[in-house]
Amino acid sequence: MKRTQWIALALVLVILAPLLAACSDGGGKARPPVELVIYSQVANYSGVMIGWGAEILKEKFNVTVTIINDATDGTFETRMAAGNLGDIVIFGSDGDQYKDASEAGMLFDWEEDGLLEEFGPYILQHFPYALEKNRGITGTLHGFGHGVAGSASDHARMYYYPQIRWDLYTQLGRPDIDTLEDFIPLLARMVELEPVSDAGTKTYAVSSFPDWDGDMVMMVKSTAALYGWEEFYFGLYDTKTQTWENCLEEDGWYLRCLKFYNTLYQMGLYDPDSMTQNWNVLVEKYTTGAALFNIFEWIASYYNTEENKAQGKMMRPVPAKDQKNLADGLTIFGRNRVWTIGAKSNYPELCMEIINWFSTPEGVLAYNYGPRGVTWDFDEDGEPYMTALGIQCQEDKENTPITYRDYSGTYRNGEFQHNNPTWDVNALNPESPSGQTFHWEFWPSTILQKVVTPIEQSWRDWAGYIKEDDFLKENGHFSVAVGTDYSGSRQSSELKTTWTQVQNCVKDGSWNAIYARDDAEFDATVAKMRADAYAYGFQECVDWIEIEVGRRKAAEDRAK
């Protein structure tokens, strides 16, 4: 695609340049207003973006952004058929849909007319391996994967934690937890201690939701991450031994975790609305203390408000003795959620400038922490630091108000909605004079500012560490998924059809198994799921995956 539209626009800007310069401060006001569409397969929001994030983009680039997500089945196919994916296009993976879009000519070639070199210089300088990986997927450079790091020798902060209500655990005398199933009687006793939530509803051990289900049920497959197993197609990959087991394997980890949740359900400890509620309802429940256990750091953050901590209530990680919590290894190649530009965009240069800005330290910090000068800033040495408001926003995103330009509302409601970072937040900031990462909690300035409540201090005293990751790592509860340049192979159209049928079978069967009324019904439901899956062609999927396991292992060995 030639950039004829922008050439015409450039001529207009040349004519208007003196006038624009006279009335501009050099920022977004110097540009004509533009409406952009960001089609993001990983966004949880759809519509015109409002908030402090939208105000930043308007200020810097004079753009208004409409987010389109994949909340409706067939969104990708519909947009492909219409011939226009959007201006900025963010893929949930670098798999088949990304490759289909490339082959159909729906994505801009970043090397055409020097687009990347001229309008994405920071990306070009700092993400060479991520760009090269992307070029290798389709033969054309269309973008790069998210979560890039400058070094392959480190790992990200953990986000798989066995989070429980620390105050209730303390009231129970902090009993030993030897293995996964030992959480069940503990959670039953915790629910007895607090049977009603802050909202006056029944309390459960666990609440879940189906929005993030993929080839398997999200909460089930992710629980295995507490033991070092990472989701890999229709199964789990042991990051230490580099071995894979399918999700229907007898005595395998997926079925073990499935049984864990079914046992909770049989005991009345699993939220029966889990199969039908969405992310927003789940967040509300955890925010009000309606569930007492989860496996994600960010879900616990909704409960850990300043008000709750002041009242001596908090969720903290308490691992079983045999756990090996999974952490993502940082990767110089970028991960699988791909930043691209739609081939039909009238504004490819502007799109590239925006993606490039999100790749600069200022853009990374703004994406993660809010407007510069309000929630964070640079000190005289060039090091970023959080303001008091910024720390409050990070610790209580749901309730902390923030005002920026024309936005006034909570921090959470004002965030950028495309849901795709450029740098990994745990990566070293290339412009930090002292070599700090982008992660605010690890900055010396943050540690000096934070006020530690008694409930937080009690966990620190028990753990012997300030940070959760330090505690888990030093006590052996730690496993790393090596960051690599692995990208999944293409599937035949026949396999895709089989895959969809198997996927639906596994997800539906798993949810039915969670809701089994007794062990006999659970076993019968799992047996039916297994039989149906193999009848649909599960073995064909496994044969394809086992080849991919070998490719992933080889990529890990190269990275090591």
Side-chain angles (χ1 to χ4, degrees), residues 339-456:
W339 286 93
T340 70
I341 297 172
K344 293 296 180 68
S345 174
N346 291 323
Y347 312 104
E349 288 92 344
L350 177 59
C351 293
M352 181 63 74
E353 285 186 85
I354 292 172
I355 299 172
N356 187 74
W357 178 77
F358 275 120
S359 304
T360 65
E362 180 182 350
V364 174
L365 296 169
Y367 172 80
N368 285 289
Y369 308 130
R372 178 180 176 181
V374 179
T375 53
W376 67 276
D377 213 328
F378 293 109
D379 64 20
E380 62 273 13
D381 297 321
E383 294 286 6
Y385 68 91
M386 300 292 282
T387 65
L389 175 61
I391 290 178
Q392 185 179 350
C393 287
Q394 293 304 308
E395 293 183 336
D396 189 2
K397 296 181 179 182
E398 294 299 313
N399 300 306
T400 302
I402 178 175
T403 298
Y404 184 67
R405 288 166 52 89
D406 292 335
Y407 174 73
S408 183
T410 65
Y411 178 90
R412 175 73 73 185
N413 289 340
E415 289 181 307
F416 290 102
Q417 298 293 347
H418 56 272
N419 194 29
N420 202 41
T422 52
W423 287 89
D424 191 296
V425 72
N426 297 280
L428 293 178
N429 178 350
E431 295 183 10
S432 167
S434 62
Q436 299 297 319
T437 72
F438 288 112
H439 203 305
W440 74 282
E441 289 191 83
F442 298 98
W443 299 340
S445 59
T446 299
I447 295 172
L448 291 173
Q449 284 189 70
K450 288 193 68 175
V451 176
V452 180
T453 60
I455 187 71
E456 291 175 283

Side-chain angles (χ1 to χ4, degrees), residues 326-344:
L326 185 66
D328 291 332
L330 298 190
T331 172
I332 58 177
F333 303 107
R335 302 195 182 280
N336 64 339
R337 286 152 45 180
V338 189
W339 286 93
T340 70
I341 297 172
K344 293 296 180 68

Side-chain angles (χ1 to χ4, degrees), residues 258-376:
L258 190 65
K259 182 58 183 171
F260 172 78
Y261 290 110
N262 170 247
T263 302
L264 290 173
Y265 176 77
Q266 289 186 39
M267 297 173 65
L269 299 172
Y270 185 85
D271 182 0
D273 295 333
S274 295
M275 187 167 62
T276 56
Q277 69 190 6
N278 63 23
W279 162 258
N280 292 328
V281 175
L282 176 92
V283 166
E284 183 179 350
K285 288 184 175 180
Y286 272 99
T287 300
T288 61
L292 309 178
F293 171 93
N294 71 79
I295 58 173
F296 296 115
E297 182 274 334
W298 56 81
I299 292 181
S301 69
Y302 290 103
Y303 184 76
N304 294 339
T305 63
E306 291 303 306
E307 180 181 358
N308 280 339
K309 288 188 288 186
Q311 294 176 8
K313 301 186 294 184
M314 193 176 188
M315 300 195 83
R316 291 276 81 187
V318 179
K321 292 180 180 179
D322 62 346
Q323 285 183 358
K324 302 288 184 184
N325 294 61
L326 185 66
D328 291 332
L330 298 190
T331 172
I332 58 177
F333 303 107
R335 302 195 182 280
N336 64 339
R337 286 152 45 180
V338 189
W339 286 93
T340 70
I341 297 172
K344 293 296 180 68
S345 174
N346 291 323
Y347 312 104
E349 288 92 344
L350 177 59
C351 293
M352 181 63 74
E353 285 186 85
I354 292 172
I355 299 172
N356 187 74
W357 178 77
F358 275 120
S359 304
T360 65
E362 180 182 350
V364 174
L365 296 169
Y367 172 80
N368 285 289
Y369 308 130
R372 178 180 176 181
V374 179
T375 53
W376 67 276

Side-chain angles (χ1 to χ4, degrees), residues 42 65 102 122 184 186 218 242 262 304 353 380 409 455 527:
V42 292
V65 171
S102 173
Y122 209 88
I184 295 173
L186 171 64
M218 175 274 299
Q242 297 177 290
N262 170 247
N304 294 339
E353 285 186 85
E380 62 273 13
I455 187 71

